[in-house]
Amino acid sequence: MSAPPILVPHASGTNRDGEAAQAIRLAGGDPRIVHVNELRDGRVRIADHAAMLLPGGFSYGDALGAGGRLALELRTWFADDLDVMVAAGKPVLGICNGFQVLVKAGLLPGPAHMPRRLTLTENERGRFECRWVTLRVEADVRSGWLATIGDSVIRCPVAHGEGRVVADEDTLARLVAGSLVAFRYQDAGASPGDDPSPARGVYPANPNGSADDIAGICDAAGTVVGLMPHPEDHVFTWQRPSGPEGASGLPLFDAFVRAAR
Amino acid sequence: MPGRPISTADVAGNDAAETPLPVDDARGTRRTRLRFAHVTQRIEVSTAGDPEGARVVRAAGLVGVDGLRECRVARVYQVASDVDAGDIERLCREVLVDPVVATHHVGAPRPPIGRAVEVAPMPGVTDGEARELERAAAQIGLPPITVSTAWRYDLIGDLDDDEVALLTRRLLANDTIERSAEGELEPSFTLDADGRAGEGPRVDTIAVRGLTDDELLALSRKRILSLDVAEMRVIQAHFGAEGRDPTDAELETLAQTWSEHCVHKTFRARIELTHTAADGTVSVSDHDGLLPALREVTDQLDPWWLRSAFVDDAGIIAFDDRFDLAFKVETHNHPSALEPFGGANTGVGGVVRDILGVSARPIACTDVLCFGPADLPDSDLPDGVLHPRRIRDGVVAGIGDYGNKLGLPTVNGSVVYHEGYIGNPLVYCGALGLLPRDSHPTVAGIGDRVVSIGGRVGRDGIHGATFSSAGMDASTVDTVGSAVQIGDPITEKGCVEVVERARDARLYTAITDCGAGGFSSAVGEMGEDLGVEIDLAVVPLKYPGLQPWEIWLSEAQERIVMAVPPDRLAALRTLCDDWDVELTDLGVFTGDRRLVVRHGATPVVDMPMAFLHDGLPRREMVAAWDDPAPGAVDTNPDATPSMSDRLLLRLLAHPDVASNEDIVRRFDHEVRGGTVVRPFVGPQADGPSDAAVLKPLGTEHNQLAVVLSNGICPRVGIHDPWAMALLAMDEAVRNLVAVGGDPDRVAVLDNFCWGDPTKPDRLGGLVRAVQGCTEGARRYAMPFISGKDSLFNEFDGTAIPGTLLISAVGLVPDLHTAIDSAGMRPGDDIWLVGEGTAALGGSLVDAVLGLRATTVPTPIDDPLPRYRAIHGAIVAGMVTAAHDVSDGGLAVAIAEMAIGARTGVMATVPPDGLDPFRALTNEAPGRIVLTASPTDRGPLEDRLRGHGRRIGEVMADQRIVIRVPDAPTDAEGLDRLRATIIDLSIAEAVAAFTGGAR
C-alpha cells in the first residue's frame, strides 16, 4: 500500500515538525512539511492530503497566547478546507502547540462546544517545564482511530509553558460524558516495575495542573485529536530514559497513519 | 530628547505626523501603517489566577518587602488607529482575550486596587507582542493599527512609597530597557526613537588631525571607542596622510574592527611574563601571542577528523563520512549584568548565528553560568548591581525563551556561585550544529551581491563590541544602556530554515553572522579580500531617525550576511518570502579592496581594507604572576577537620553541587528527539548527569552519537591558573568518557573570561592559563578548534576570578553503549579509577569550611591510558553506571550515584596515605566511579589494567555507607568498624541534594 500523504503545516516558530515527520515516516506515512504561506497562496492544497498533523513549537512566538495567532490564520484562511477535511473523516492530530492551535481555532472539542469554554493556559507553576510523563490512552475514547490503541500507556516528554487544561465543571462533565477525554496523565510509580495509576492532579505526574489530569482530547466526530505531550519524541527505544520498558509513542502514529489510508 | 514618550497630545495638529508611512511587512504584502492616528484606545486584559502575581509576592519577601499581600497583573495594549469601539471589541474577542480565563476592559485605566504600577518597554526595544497584534488586526480585516504594550501591577497590601519604588526597581522593571511609573504610562509608539524623523542622513567629520595624545584619548573615551593612544595615533596618521579627517562612521568602524571583542588584541599581543614561584624563584619568559600558541598545538596534533579550527565563526570536526559537526561557545557577560533576560536571550541568539555562519543547522545548545551567591544579603550588594538572584532568574528565563523557541535542546551546562561574580556574572552560551560534509562555501566572487537576511535595524546594541572591551561600574547603565537588547527568536528561526535551504540549493558563496559591530564587522570581514560597496539607504529600519553610522554599527539581532551571485538572488528572495524572512540587497563585492559605504548619494565610509584589517598596531604587554605561598592546611597534614554525615549533607546542599532542576527543567532538552543521555538520570529523573549524548535527527543511517561536556574550576584558578586549565580539561574529558564518549575523538573550545588585561597581574594569570591549555592539549591529544576571550570583566576595579570554560565535543561510537550515572543494580561491584591527593586548594570543601588551602591538585601527566581503558570497558558493555569525581570529592560522587539510582551503596575507600577527611573530599583529577556486574569482575579488571580498584558494592537497601580504613592492619574487623565515616539514608541525601538549590 502506498504511503498516505500527510500534511505537516509549518508556521514561523514551528519547531517539532522534523520529529513529527520522522514518526509519520516510521509509521508508514508520507509526511509533507509545508509552510502555511504555500497553503495560503494555493501552491499546496490541504485537500490533497489524507491527514494533517499540526506539530509543536512556538508559532509566531506564542505572542497573544500560545497558538492563538496560527489559530486565527486557520480560521481566516483555511476554515472551509479544514471543515471539508474533518467532514471527510480524515484524521487531524495536534501536538503541543498544534493542540493549542486546534483548541483556540475551535476545532477541539469541536463546534458543539462553541462559544469556547475550554482552554490551554499557563502551567500552574507559572513556567515552561520539560520532563517525561506517563499517559494513558483512555479506553473509552470517542475517537475511532485512537480507540484502536485505547487503554494503553505512552511515556514521552512534555515541554511547554501553557499546557494546563482549564474548563468549567459543566464543560468537563460534558467532555467525560461524551468520551472526549483522549489522554490522561498518570503516576508512573516509584519503581520501574510499578503499574501506572491516576496522577490525581499531583505534580509532577500531572506536570501543569490540568483539570482532571487531562493531557489530550478529541472532537465528537472522533477525527480530531490533540494532546500536550510529545509522543513523537519517543519512537526509538534509545530515546527512553531509565524506567519502564515499552510505552513507545509509535503505536499512536501507527493508528494515525492507518486511519489516513 | 532620546527616549521621550510620545503621546497623541504631542502630535495633535502636526501634519507631518499624520503622513502614512509605507511599511514592508514580513509577509511580503505591502501595507500602510499610520504614523500617528487620531485616537488611542486602551485595553487591559487580566487573566484569572495569573501565576506572575504570585511570583511577585514570593519575590517581594526576598527583597525585604513583607507587606505585599497580593499582586494582580494585567496586560495593557494601547491601540492607535482609526478603528471604532466595535472593532476594538472584535479585536479583543477574536485575538486578545481568551474567553475561558481572561477578562478585558476598554477605556480609561481601571481604578487602582492598592498601588498600580505600569511598566513598558522603552522606545526601540523589541516588542514582539505589539507587532503580532498589529498583524492580527490586519488579518481580521481591521484598518491599520499601531500598538504599544505595557504591564500593569496592582500591588495590594501595606506598602509605603519607598517599598513601591523598591518593588518596581527590583522586581517589576529594569530601567535599562523599560520605563515605569505609578499610575498610567503614556503610550509610546516606536515609530521614531527620538523625534529626528524628517532629517536627511547626516555624516559628521571627526577632527583627529592635530590632536594631542590627551585629546585623542579623550575622544576615544567620549565616543566609547575603547582604543588606546597608540591606536588613535595610527588612525590620526592614516587620515593625516589622506589629507582629511575621518567621518563618524569611519572612526566607529575602526573602533569596532580593532576592538578587543573583534580582533582579540590581547590574544595577539607580544607579552613578557614574570613568574614568581612560591619559593621566590623568578623566571621571565616572552610569549609571541596567546592565540598563535593555541593554534600551533592544534596544527601539530592535526587529527584526520579535524575539518576547520580557528578560521571561521565556529570550529568544525567530522561526525561521519556524510556529516560534520560545528561547535561554538560565546559569552554575553556585560549585557547579562545589566539586563539579564535580554543579555542571555541575545547570547543564545548570537552563538546560534555563529553556527549558521558556518552553514550548519543548529541542533543543540549548552549554557554555563557563574553568579554571585543567591543568598547574598542586600546590604552587601554594590550600587548599580542587580542582585545575583535576579540576574540568575533573568538569565535562566532568557536562555529558555530563546533556545526553546528556536526548537533547540539545551542539554549541557553547569552553574557556579562565587562572590567574585557579584558585579560581573558570566553567561556562556554554546551551540552545536550539523552540516553535510564540504557544504560550507567560503569564497565570495567579484560581482556577488552583499545580502542581509533577518531582522530590521534599530538603535539597539550600538557599541556592544567596544562595551565588552571595557570594565563596568555603577554608571555603565547610563552610558551604554543601548548596548543591551531583547532577542526575537522567531525571526532567527526563520533565518535557520532559510540558511539550511539556501546552502543545499547553493544560493550563496560565503556567509557570516552579523554580531558585535553589526554590518561594520560582518561586511568589513567578508569583504576583506575583495572590497565592497554598500548603500545604507536600502536597509529596513525598525523606526526612522537613525543616522548612517548608527545603521552601519547597529547590533540589531537576528541578521545574517551572505554573498550571493546575481543570478541566484531571485531564488533566495523567493525562499525568504516563503519563510517570512526579510531580505535586503545591500551592495556588491567590488574587487577594489576598498570599504565603500554610502547612504544614497551621501558618502559614509571610504577606506582601504588593508588599513582596516592590517593597520592595527600589535600590542606589547607586560604580565606578572606570583604563585601563592602554601597555607597552614597545605603544610600540616593533621590540620584538617573530620568528615561526617553532616558535612557530606552540607556539600550535597551546596548550590554548586545541589540539583539544578529548578533551572534546567525550564529548558527543553528533548526537542528534535535526539536526546540519548539527558541532564537528569535515574528512575526519579533527578540524578545528575555527567554529559549529554545526542543522536542528530537525520543521521539514522548509523549508530554514532555526539557527546557534549564541559569543565570549569575557577576556584582552582585563583591559586594556579595553569593547573586550572589542565584540571578543567580533565573534567571535560572524564565527564565525556563517563557517558561513553571516545577519549581519542575529543575536540575542545576555550572560553577565557578575565579581568582587565592591561593590569599585569590579570594578564599574568591569563598567560599561565593559556600555557596550561597548550600543555593540556598535548597531554590529552585534544585539539582546540575554536575559542573566545572576554576580557575586562571587572566591576569597580575588581576583577572576576579568571575563569576558563573548557567545552568538549566528542563521539559515542554506538548510542546503545551510552551509559549514565544511575544505571547500576543491587549486587553490582563499585570500582574507582584514579588516586586521591592531599591538596585541597580550590576544592569545594575548602570553600565551604574556609580552610584557606592554596596548593591545588597536580594535573595528570599521562591521562589517556586510563580513559581509554574505561572507554573500552564501556564499549564492551561491562559498565552499568559511571560518574566523575569533581566538586565535593569522592563521597559526594558516590552519594550522587546512590541518589540517582535510589539504591544503597557500601564503599570502602582506599586511603592512599590520606586521612579520611582528605580521602573523601579531595578533588584530584582523573577519577571516575564505575559499577559493573560481579560476573564481569575478571574481564573488567583486565580492561582497567591497574587503573581501577574495586571499592564496594551496590546494595538493595537505602543507605549510603562509606568507610576509610585508617591503615590496613591485621586487626581488620575492628578497624573497619572504627573507620565507618559516612552512614546515612538515601532520603536524607536526596533532601539535601534537592533542597539546597531552592
Side-chain angles (χ1 to χ4, degrees):
Chain A
M1 206 186 299
S2 69
I6 295 178
L7 178 65
V8 182
H10 182 117
S12 292
T14 295
N15 64 35
R16 266 179 162 94
D17 46 343
E19 304 117 272
Q22 174 175 258
I24 289 169
R25 212 174 292 120
L26 289 171
D30 174 14
R32 312 252 174 101
I33 296 174
V34 179
H35 201 284
V36 288
N37 289 345
E38 295 176 73
L39 296 173
R40 189 188 174 192
D41 67 17
R43 266 177 291 167
V44 180
R45 287 165 16 109
I46 292 177
D48 291 340
H49 299 83
M52 178 169 81
L53 192 159
L54 277 167
F58 291 82
S59 51
Y60 305 108
D62 276 359
L64 313 173
R69 286 279 291 107
L70 182 54
L72 184 65
E73 291 194 347
L74 293 189
R75 289 205 316 264
T76 44
W77 294 339
F78 310 122
D80 295 344
D81 291 338
L82 292 176
D83 285 348
V84 167
M85 180 170 232
V86 171
K90 293 180 179 177
V92 174
L93 176 62
I95 301 175
C96 196
N97 198 242
F99 181 28
Q100 293 161 336
V101 170
L102 290 173
V103 166
K104 292 180 181 178
L107 287 159
L108 281 175
H113 295 258
M114 296 302 277
R116 193 153 70 77
R117 287 162 67 190
L118 177 142
T119 197
L120 291 159
T121 190
E122 267 203 88
N123 295 352
E124 201 164 49
R125 288 163 67 94
R127 58 170 69 161
F128 180 98
E129 195 161 315
C130 177
R131 61 169 63 247
W132 276 64
V133 296
T134 302
L135 299 179
R136 179 169 296 281
V137 184
E138 293 296 306
D140 66 347
V141 61
R142 177 93 160 235
S143 165
W145 66 265
L146 188 59
T148 61
I149 59 161
D151 202 23
S152 63
V153 171
I154 295 174
R155 292 190 70 222
C156 63
V158 288
H160 61 245
E162 297 182 43
R164 176 164 55 117
V165 172
V166 173
D168 58 52
E169 289 297 321
D170 179 52
T171 303
L172 287 172
R174 285 175 64 200
L175 287 181
V176 172
S179 294
L180 302 187
V181 177
F183 304 89
R184 280 198 172 89
Y185 296 109
Q186 300 278 298
D187 182 346
S191 308
D194 294 352
D195 281 333
S197 58
R200 297 187 201 291
V202 177
Y203 175 86
N206 176 334
N208 51 31
S210 278
D212 200 12
D213 296 332
I214 295 172
I217 60 177
C218 66
D219 70 344
T223 51
V224 185
V225 172
L227 77 167
M228 285 312 298
H230 291 285
E232 75 277 26
D233 285 343
H234 184 190
V235 294
F236 300 114
T237 54
W238 54 259
Q239 290 172 320
R240 190 186 63 230
S242 54
E245 298 288 308
S248 162
L250 196 52
L252 174 65
F253 296 95
D254 288 338
F256 176 63
V257 172
R258 261 198 315 273
R261 287 186 190 278
Chain B
M1 280 180 288
R4 189 173 64 98
I6 297 162
S7 72
T8 48
D10 283 342
V11 295
N14 181 341
D15 292 337
E18 291 174 20
T19 310
L21 175 76
V23 175
D24 239 353
D25 83 1
R27 299 278 181 286
T29 53
R30 200 152 178 98
R31 64 192 172 92
T32 299
R33 191 158 72 185
L34 284 181
R35 295 212 37 228
F36 301 109
H38 302 284
V39 189
T40 299
Q41 304 195 63
R42 180 186 158 104
I43 308 167
E44 286 183 22
V45 179
S46 342
T47 302
D50 192 326
E52 172 70 4
R55 184 194 70 81
V56 172
V57 174
R58 275 197 309 275
L62 294 176
V63 298
V65 176
D66 297 322
L68 181 67
R69 285 196 311 277
E70 188 188 346
C71 172
R72 295 191 196 170
V73 183
R75 200 81 176 97
V76 178
Y77 302 89
Q78 302 268 14
V79 180
S81 69
D82 289 328
V83 301
D84 61 23
D87 289 335
I88 289 287
E89 271 309 314
R90 241 188 94 205
L91 191 65
C92 289
R93 201 173 60 243
E94 295 189 26
V95 179
L96 263 185
V97 183
D98 186 322
V100 183
V101 288
T103 55
H104 69 282
H105 166 84
V106 180
R110 272 194 274 228
I113 318 163
R115 310 281 293 264
V117 173
E118 288 195 8
V119 179
M122 283 182 178
V125 171
T126 303
D127 187 350
E129 209 170 21
R131 303 293 84 77
E132 286 298 339
L133 186 57
E134 290 162 2
R135 287 196 187 125
Q139 203 159 18
I140 63 171
L142 297 190
I145 64 171
T146 303
V147 178
S148 159
T149 72
W151 291 93
R152 170 177 168 164
Y153 299 87
D154 280 274
L155 305 170
I156 304 161
D158 192 14
L159 302 170
D160 61 27
D161 288 353
D162 288 347
E163 286 172 322
V164 171
L166 180 75
L167 290 175
T168 304
R169 196 177 70 244
R170 293 287 302 274
L171 301 181
L172 306 181
N174 182 344
D175 57 14
T176 305
I177 56 157
E178 291 166 325
R179 49 204 185 94
S180 59
E182 195 164 357
E184 185 186 11
L185 272 181
E186 288 287 348
S188 134
F189 298 103
T190 48
L191 293 167
D192 179 350
D194 60 4
R196 290 198 310 208
E199 277 178 35
R202 204 182 69 228
V203 177
D204 290 335
T205 300
I206 311 293
V208 297
R209 290 176 298 168
L211 296 190
T212 66
D213 283 358
D214 285 349
E215 287 165 339
L216 286 172
L217 269 180
L219 175 65
S220 172
R221 267 197 302 275
K222 179 172 159 240
R223 290 196 72 102
I224 324 178
L225 303 176
S226 295
L227 294 173
D228 70 13
V229 73
E231 291 153 355
M232 291 297 288
R233 278 197 214 121
V234 172
I235 293 172
Q236 190 179 42
H238 172 82
F239 286 96
E242 289 210 347
R244 66 181 180 106
D245 282 313
T247 64
D248 47 8
E250 285 171 332
L251 193 55
E252 296 282 354
T253 301
L254 287 163
Q256 295 294 328
T257 310
W258 293 1
S259 70
E260 186 64 78
H261 187 98
C262 292
V263 80
H264 311 286
K265 286 184 269 209
T266 300
F267 267 65
R268 292 171 195 276
R270 267 186 291 268
I271 302 172
E272 183 189 273
L273 170 68
T274 304
H275 180 195
T276 309
D279 64 6
T281 318
V282 177
S283 55
V284 178
S285 53
D286 289 317
H287 299 267
D288 195 21
L290 301 177
L291 191 56
L294 287 164
R295 281 185 175 174
E296 185 188 352
V297 66
T298 295
D299 290 345
Q300 288 164 358
L301 291 168
D302 195 27
W304 63 267
W305 42 266
L306 184 67
R307 295 272 182 260
S308 162
F310 291 111
V311 296
D312 224 324
D313 289 345
I316 304 177
I317 60 169
F319 176 67
D320 59 15
D321 53 1
R322 287 163 63 179
F323 289 99
D324 291 343
L325 294 164
F327 193 29
K328 175 75 173 192
V329 177
E330 273 281 357
T331 48
H332 228 209
N333 306 333
H334 288 187
S336 301
L338 300 181
E339 209 310 284
F341 181 93
N345 204 238
T346 51
V348 177
V351 77
V352 165
R353 286 195 302 282
D354 282 332
I355 296 301
L356 295 179
V358 295
S359 301
R361 169 99 197 187
I363 61 168
C365 289
T366 67
D367 63 286
V368 173
L369 312 172
C370 301
F371 302 123
D375 57 359
L376 183 78
D378 277 14
S379 53
D380 294 354
L381 194 66
D383 278 350
V385 171
L386 300 176
H387 193 279
R389 207 168 40 235
R390 183 171 184 190
I391 293 178
R392 179 189 64 189
D393 292 350
V395 164
V396 167
I399 290 172
D401 179 75
Y402 214 101
N404 295 345
K405 285 182 176 169
L406 279 181
L408 294 177
T410 300
V411 285
N412 185 250
S414 59
V415 188
V416 177
Y417 295 89
H418 190 280
E419 293 78 8
Y421 303 117
I422 290 170
N424 192 320
L426 303 184
V427 175
Y428 295 95
C429 300
L432 178 73
L434 185 76
L435 69 160
R437 192 166 166 186
D438 297 330
S439 66
H440 171 47
T442 55
V443 184
I446 293 172
D448 285 358
R449 305 303 302 177
V450 181
V451 170
S452 161
I453 65 164
R456 292 182 162 225
V457 171
R459 198 165 285 144
D460 27 5
I462 304 271
H463 283 143
T466 49
F467 162 46
S468 68
S469 306
M472 291 194 293
D473 58 35
S475 68
T476 303
V477 174
D478 303 328
T479 50
V480 292
S482 64
V484 186
Q485 313 158 68
I486 298 286
D488 175 6
I490 301 306
T491 295
E492 181 135 320
K493 180 66 168 33
C495 293
V496 170
E497 303 292 349
V498 164
V499 168
E500 184 178 32
R501 287 163 177 80
R503 175 199 70 200
D504 291 346
R506 305 196 176 278
L507 299 183
Y508 60 85
T509 54
I511 182 170
T512 192
D513 83 300
C514 213
F519 284 144
S520 77
S521 289
V523 176
E525 278 172 32
M526 220 176 181
E528 181 176 352
D529 294 336
L530 294 180
V532 289
E533 184 173 351
I534 298 293
D535 182 3
L536 297 176
V538 303
V539 175
L541 304 179
K542 292 179 180 176
Y543 38 81
L546 268 69
Q547 292 306 332
W549 76 267
E550 294 177 307
I551 301 171
W552 183 234
L553 269 291
S554 166
E555 297 182 5
Q557 297 285 297
E558 290 94 22
R559 292 180 295 156
I560 294 284
V561 177
M562 299 174 176
V564 181
D567 60 346
R568 296 178 225 171
L569 187 57
L572 182 64
R573 200 181 286 280
T574 304
L575 180 65
C576 286
D577 285 348
D578 278 355
W579 290 86
D580 289 343
V581 172
E582 197 162 19
L583 176 148
T584 311
D585 179 2
L586 296 170
V588 67
F589 290 88
T590 53
D592 66 3
R593 303 210 58 208
R594 290 191 75 79
L595 176 64
V596 178
V597 182
R598 296 177 284 106
H599 187 288
T602 311
V604 178
V605 174
D606 188 352
M607 289 191 292
M609 286 289 187
F611 177 61
L612 188 59
H613 292 288
D614 308 322
L616 175 68
R618 195 171 175 198
R619 280 192 175 168
E620 310 273 343
M621 302 178 80
V622 178
W625 179 258
D626 298 348
D627 288 334
V633 73
D634 296 306
T635 49
N636 180 2
D638 299 327
T640 50
S642 57
M643 187 61 187
S644 64
D645 291 354
R646 251 186 77 170
L647 180 55
L648 175 55
L649 293 172
R650 246 178 104 182
L651 293 173
L652 286 171
H654 188 278
D656 286 11
V657 172
S659 172
N660 279 327
E661 273 197 79
D662 262 15
I663 292 175
V664 178
R665 292 222 180 269
R666 296 166 77 166
F667 309 145
D668 192 339
H669 43 260
E670 302 286 350
V671 61
R672 299 186 69 77
T675 310
V676 183
V677 176
R678 37 187 61 73
F680 300 107
V681 298
Q684 300 299 314
D686 58 0
S689 178
D690 286 83
V693 178
L694 291 169
K695 177 63 181 168
L697 190 62
T699 65
E700 290 73 27
H701 52 276
N702 61 35
Q703 302 302 319
L704 271 177
V706 191
V707 51
L708 297 177
S709 66
N710 69 77
I712 186 167
C713 47
R715 278 189 292 262
V716 171
I718 291 167
H719 310 299
D720 187 343
W722 180 86
M724 168 172 72
L726 285 142
L727 297 181
M729 292 169 88
D730 189 77
E731 184 183 8
V733 172
R734 64 180 190 263
N735 275 315
L736 177 145
V737 167
V739 296
D742 180 350
D744 285 309
R745 285 292 297 274
V746 187
V748 283
L749 310 180
D750 64 74
N751 275 85
F752 297 91
C753 286
W754 234 263
D756 178 353
T758 63
K759 296 176 180 163
D761 62 328
R762 273 70 151 172
L763 186 59
L766 184 60
V767 175
R768 291 289 292 153
V770 172
Q771 286 180 310
C773 285
T774 55
E775 178 62 24
R778 289 189 188 94
R779 290 188 190 182
Y780 291 82
M782 191 162 72
F784 283 92
I785 57 168
S786 185
K788 170 74 193 291
D789 50 279
S790 164
L791 308 178
F792 301 95
N793 286 285
E794 306 226 350
F795 187 84
D796 255 352
T798 304
I800 59 158
T803 305
L804 169 66
L805 169 67
I806 296 290
S807 304
V809 55
L811 295 185
V812 174
D814 179 346
L815 62 91
H816 297 96
T817 64
I819 58 171
D820 62 37
S821 64
M824 70 265 211
R825 293 174 292 260
D828 282 358
D829 291 335
I830 302 174
W831 296 73
L832 172 65
V833 173
E835 298 80 39
T837 173
L840 295 176
S843 67
L844 183 69
V845 80
D846 177 83
V848 166
L849 298 179
L851 300 179
R852 296 169 184 272
T854 65
T855 306
V856 304
T858 306
I860 306 167
D861 283 339
D862 186 17
L864 277 175
R866 77 179 66 190
Y867 291 129
R868 288 179 180 141
I870 295 169
H871 181 62
I874 291 173
V875 169
M878 293 173 187
V879 181
T880 54
H883 189 33
D884 92 306
V885 181
S886 57
D887 286 1
L890 185 55
V892 165
I894 292 171
E896 284 177 338
M897 294 180 81
I899 289 168
R902 292 293 198 280
T903 59
V905 287
M906 170 95 72
T908 304
V909 171
D912 293 341
L914 305 174
D915 62 88
F917 174 83
R918 289 184 201 246
L920 292 182
T921 60
N922 83 80
E923 297 176 13
R927 291 187 302 166
I928 293 185
V929 179
L930 308 173
T931 60
S933 162
T935 57
D936 286 327
R937 196 174 285 173
L940 183 57
E941 189 139 35
D942 292 345
R943 285 257 176 210
L944 294 179
R945 283 180 295 235
H947 294 294
R949 293 172 282 182
R950 198 155 50 80
I951 62 164
E953 190 182 336
V954 180
M955 310 295 286
D957 67 8
Q958 292 284 304
R959 296 203 73 75
I960 297 167
V961 180
I962 304 176
R963 298 161 168 165
V964 185
D966 279 337
T969 64
D970 42 15
E972 202 180 55
L974 264 178
D975 271 339
R976 274 203 188 163
L977 272 181
R978 281 206 307 273
T980 297
I981 308 295
I982 300 295
D983 184 356
L984 49 82
S985 72
I986 287 179
E988 288 171 276
V990 168
F993 182 72
T994 58
R998 312 219 166 138

